[in-house]
Amino acid sequence: MANRLRGLIIPVISVLLGLIAGAIIMLISDYDPIAGYAALWDGIFGEIFYIGETVRQATPYIFAGLAVAFAFRTGLFNIGVEGQLIVGWLAAVWVGISFEDLPKFIHLPLAVLAAAAAGALWAFVPGFLKAKFRVHEVIVSIMMNYVALHTTNYLIRNVLAEEGDSTEKIFPSASLRSEMFEQITDYSRMHWGILIAFVAAFIMWFLLEKTSKGYELRSVGFNHHASQYAGMNVNNNIILSMVISGAFAGLGGAMEGLGTFEYASLKSAFTGVGFDGIAVALLGANSALGVVLAAFLFGGLKMGALNMPNADVPNELVDIVIALIIFFVASSYMIQWVYRRFKKGVK
Amino acid sequence: MDFMQILEILISSAIFMAAPLIFTSIGGVFSERSGVINIGLEGLMVIGAFISIVFNLAFVDSLGGATPWVALLVAMAVGGLLSLIHAVASISLRADQTVSGVAFNLLALGLALFLVKKLYGKGQTDMIQERFLRTDIPVLSDIPIIGRLFFSNVYYTSFIALGVAVLAWFILFKTPFGLRLRSVGEHPMAADTMGINVSQMRYIAVMISGMLGGLGGAVYAQTVTLDFSHSTITGQGFMALAAMIFGKWHPLGAFGAALFFGFAQSLSVVGTSIPFLEDVPSVYLLIAPYVLTILALTGFIGRADAPKASGIPYVKGNR
């Protein structure tokens, strides 16, 4: 199967299969699938407010997806996006509440950069351990997720929040809120972050496809023996791509901390955005454009799901559908196998 | 509070916290020893917790005191069955095993919460009436000191966990079946050449891990939370994964690591009431299991190496 075709057909088929499977589950459990999906559709496009919220939800998904995709393209599996996102969130808010009189054009970039740096630092650990000790990055980053969760909670409870479970609101000079977007979307929480997300997607594409460093990073991912033989510094490239991936994840946290919520609060469990980022990257075939599209799809599904109880369908159905979509994409061998059979039959 | 009392509280809560981790991490040992990474342990625990609570609520009237025990068996069966999803995707369909595991975790939680809403019309179940209770083990609890520390006020499930660990060690290292299972995880092609059915062995191993993961979740739900909601299983599966690695992919190692993690967890809970620990911020104890795992992998605490072929789908004829 041609690569370009594969990049398009497999995601589309997987999404369709996922939705069909979701309908079957609704049928079996005695819900009305048509009413359910109609409510889902209404929850995404029914009101301009919902569209705004979908964009708001898609924003961190784009970053999480880019983080996972960037690592995938360079031969690494960054399952630690969740933790990197959480520390990025905290770092952004920390800067946001710490400086009162800074002008916006300094304060906001500073907060955003702090988030990127925190995420990068968190991803540096698995990158470094992989490069120096050949420790598998998946396990280390899973462990780092929990370290992030407990550490940020501790910092919020004991350092940042004077009382209660969350920090103060950030100063307006660090906020990503946009009155314009709020007005045209009927006061949803849509914020400027979506534009930063588009820029980030462009940067990822440009970096990987148009620069020699990007070529090196991809080459190390393909075959690090060959890359070493060609004179590339394999270890540094592994660390670098983890750090860049972590910076994307940290920026995703900044979107939540500076845009959506404008504070950081204690978390009893993970946000889930980082793990959904794996789904976004897989569905987007690890390309920048694909990630953006997939992020909007998943953002829409997540937002629309909140409307499904209106049709008496539990909103968890969407989580099942998303999980199934990942299974189908991951098992693309099955789709290819059917495709080849089909082609043979035609001949 | 004297030293004995502190020790008593710590040890009994460590054993109590560790039991679900022990079952699940040994499940992980089986799967990974056969060459299939199982990130889905978390999801398997969710399934086990969910099934055991639902079964317990539904059959408590007819089964009475035996309900939690039967619920364990049912949770094992369902866990084993659902782990087939991961097995089919990662063995037959050659999916990336980590990705499939992540998807399995999402699926398990989504499905369980979906069914809770379907069955009970709300986000969480009722509390179960019949649960595992602390008991004193006859005879053994009368031994001075040791009896008081280890055998009084405990759950039977903790000792079953020890039994499972020993049994798993025996199966994996002392039987032909275990040798085959391990060989499939180290060098599947060599095993295939010797006439071992690689896919079959891996399917069996993943199903065993599913059963033990379900068991771990069921034990956790019926001793700790007593109901099922979105926050019943939050990371225990990943901690079991950490215990498996910290235990160097060995059943008895995993057992020891799980005990140790249970100890660290109980310190973080009980620690505030212990004189010389109350000044230590609980965050250090909370992150200790994870940091130690990273250190173990790095080689500071003896190097831990994964089975060679873990994570690689076996394709006949590929070199």
Side-chain angles (χ1 to χ4, degrees):
Chain A
M1 211 185 298
N3 259 345
R4 185 173 290 268
L5 202 63
R6 216 171 110 178
L8 200 66
I9 283 182
I10 287 178
V12 171
I13 291 181
S14 300
V15 170
L16 286 178
L17 285 177
L19 288 172
I20 292 170
I24 293 173
I25 291 173
M26 279 194 272
L27 266 180
I28 294 174
S29 41
D30 207 19
Y31 294 114
D32 181 358
I34 296 174
Y37 280 142
L40 178 73
W41 180 267
D42 273 351
I44 307 171
F45 299 107
E47 285 172 30
I48 187 84
F49 173 81
Y50 291 143
I51 297 179
E53 282 290 295
T54 295
V55 174
R56 195 267 306 159
Q57 181 75 44
T59 310
Y61 276 168
I62 293 178
F63 281 105
L66 289 176
V68 178
F70 191 91
F72 262 137
R73 288 291 290 277
T74 54
L76 298 165
F77 191 173
N78 184 2
I79 202 170
V81 170
E82 183 71 42
Q84 293 144 20
L85 189 139
I86 294 176
V87 295
W89 183 336
L90 185 79
V93 169
W94 201 328
V95 172
I97 59 174
S98 297
F99 305 98
E100 191 169 354
D101 292 322
L102 283 182
K104 185 149 195 162
F105 72 93
I106 297 176
H107 198 183
L108 179 56
L110 196 66
V112 171
L113 286 178
L121 180 75
W122 220 251
F124 172 79
V125 175
F128 177 78
L129 294 180
K130 166 121 184 164
K132 292 288 175 216
F133 300 99
R134 298 283 155 222
V135 183
H136 205 292
E137 75 277 9
V138 166
I139 307 292
V140 178
S141 28
I142 289 176
M143 300 303 135
M144 290 297 285
N145 282 343
Y146 285 95
V147 177
L149 185 67
H150 293 303
T151 312
T152 53
N153 275 349
Y154 174 78
L155 286 174
I156 290 171
R157 190 182 292 126
N158 294 302
V159 183
L160 292 176
E162 315 228 305
E163 53 193 52
D165 291 344
S166 60
T167 66
E168 300 160 50
K169 243 182 145 186
I170 55 170
F171 289 108
S173 55
S175 175
L176 279 170
R177 278 180 76 157
S178 148
E179 274 183 27
M180 184 186 86
F181 281 146
E182 281 173 20
Q183 273 168 11
I184 59 174
T185 59
D186 198 16
Y187 298 97
S188 75
R189 287 177 294 172
M190 182 179 168
H191 52 81
W192 290 116
I194 187 66
L195 300 181
I196 307 180
F198 288 148
V199 172
F202 176 79
I203 289 176
M204 161 163 157
W205 168 81
F206 188 81
L207 187 64
L208 277 181
E209 311 288 346
K210 299 291 166 198
T211 65
S212 58
K213 195 71 204 171
Y215 181 82
E216 254 191 48
L217 291 173
R218 280 187 292 142
S219 146
V220 169
F222 266 124
N223 187 335
H224 68 254
H225 296 297
S227 309
Q228 188 155 31
Y229 189 69
M232 299 172 189
N233 188 331
V234 171
N235 284 349
N236 282 357
N237 279 321
I238 288 175
I239 297 176
L240 182 66
S241 59
M242 262 326 254
V243 163
I244 294 174
S245 166
F248 280 129
L251 288 172
M255 297 304 116
E256 302 286 63
L258 303 176
T260 309
F261 295 97
E262 299 188 295
Y263 60 83
S265 57
L266 291 182
K267 290 178 190 57
S268 60
F270 289 126
T271 63
V273 174
F275 294 117
D276 289 340
I278 298 169
V280 170
L282 274 176
L283 191 66
N286 298 322
S287 75
L289 182 63
V291 162
V292 171
L293 294 176
F296 275 104
L297 178 77
F298 282 140
L301 284 176
K302 282 275 179 184
M303 280 315 300
L306 300 179
N307 195 40
M308 288 181 86
N310 287 340
D312 289 328
V313 180
N315 54 339
E316 279 80 14
L317 182 87
V318 164
D319 294 325
I320 300 176
V321 170
I322 289 180
L324 290 174
I325 292 175
I326 310 178
F327 266 121
F328 290 128
V329 178
S331 312
S332 60
Y333 174 73
M334 173 182 66
I335 297 172
Q336 287 172 43
W337 185 81
V338 173
Y339 179 86
R340 277 202 298 268
R341 278 296 144 104
F342 180 70
K343 233 179 147 184
K344 263 185 207 159
V346 169
K347 270 181 203 166
Chain B
M1 211 191 290
D2 66 10
F3 184 70
M4 263 312 266
Q5 260 177 316
I6 294 170
L7 212 57
E8 205 174 311
I9 294 173
L10 273 182
I11 290 182
S12 93
S13 74
I15 295 175
F16 157 70
M17 294 278 203
L21 292 182
I22 294 170
F23 289 120
T24 312
S25 60
I26 289 173
V29 170
F30 272 97
S31 175
E32 301 232 346
R33 278 286 181 173
S34 81
V36 181
I37 293 177
N38 200 345
I39 303 269
L41 290 177
E42 173 91 1
L44 290 166
M45 285 188 83
V46 169
I47 295 291
F50 165 71
I51 292 292
S52 68
I53 294 292
V54 170
F55 183 87
N56 194 316
L57 287 169
F59 288 93
V60 70
D61 291 337
S62 48
L63 291 172
T67 321
W69 297 101
V70 185
L72 284 190
L73 295 177
V74 177
M76 277 179 83
V78 177
L81 211 61
L82 281 188
S83 67
L84 276 177
I85 300 176
H86 180 57
V88 169
S90 55
I91 302 167
S92 298
L93 298 177
R94 300 174 200 170
D96 185 310
Q97 295 169 4
T98 311
V99 171
S100 160
V102 169
F104 186 83
N105 288 338
L106 291 175
L107 180 70
L109 191 61
L111 200 61
L113 290 175
F114 178 82
L115 289 173
V116 164
K117 281 194 181 161
K118 169 73 197 162
L119 293 171
Y120 303 98
K122 52 185 178 176
Q124 65 192 68
T125 65
D126 297 326
M127 294 297 231
I128 53 171
Q129 302 304 319
E130 279 294 335
R131 49 175 296 198
F132 291 120
L133 294 170
R134 289 176 182 273
T135 45
D136 293 344
I137 308 280
V139 187
L140 290 174
S141 60
D142 297 334
I143 306 171
I145 305 179
I146 295 177
R148 209 174 121 198
L149 286 179
F150 295 100
F151 298 111
S152 51
N153 218 10
V154 290
Y155 293 98
Y156 274 112
T157 43
S158 305
F159 294 94
I160 297 177
L162 174 64
V164 166
V166 174
L167 187 68
W169 164 78
F170 183 80
I171 291 176
L172 277 174
F173 291 93
K174 299 291 168 196
T175 65
F177 171 80
L179 182 65
R180 285 181 195 140
L181 193 144
R182 284 182 293 130
S183 72
V184 159
E186 292 290 337
H187 202 315
M189 196 163 65
D192 197 13
T193 319
M194 298 304 289
I196 299 169
N197 187 335
V198 176
S199 294
Q200 190 192 343
M201 287 309 291
R202 287 186 169 181
Y203 266 93
I204 294 172
V206 171
M207 282 186 76
I208 293 175
S209 85
M211 286 159 66
L212 288 173
L215 182 60
V219 169
Y220 188 82
Q222 293 186 102
T223 48
V224 183
T225 58
L226 309 183
D227 68 347
F228 183 84
S229 69
H230 70 279
S231 60
T232 298
I233 303 290
T234 49
Q236 282 81 10
F238 285 111
M239 199 183 269
L241 190 76
M244 175 197 77
I245 296 163
F246 195 54
K248 298 179 183 170
W249 287 268
H250 191 290
L252 298 180
F255 174 81
L259 266 185
F260 177 72
F261 288 177
F263 186 70
Q265 269 188 315
S266 72
L267 269 184
S268 69
V269 176
V270 189
T272 45
S273 59
I274 294 172
F276 55 90
L277 273 176
E278 59 195 354
D279 297 331
V280 179
S282 63
V283 63
Y284 291 116
L285 300 166
L286 281 171
I287 65 174
Y290 309 111
V291 173
L292 283 169
T293 305
I294 294 176
L295 292 179
L297 278 168
T298 314
F300 292 128
I301 314 176
R303 198 170 161 79
D305 281 313
K308 273 219 181 63
S310 85
I312 308 161
Y314 177 63
V315 183
K316 255 186 201 289
N318 267 19
R319 303 227 286 161

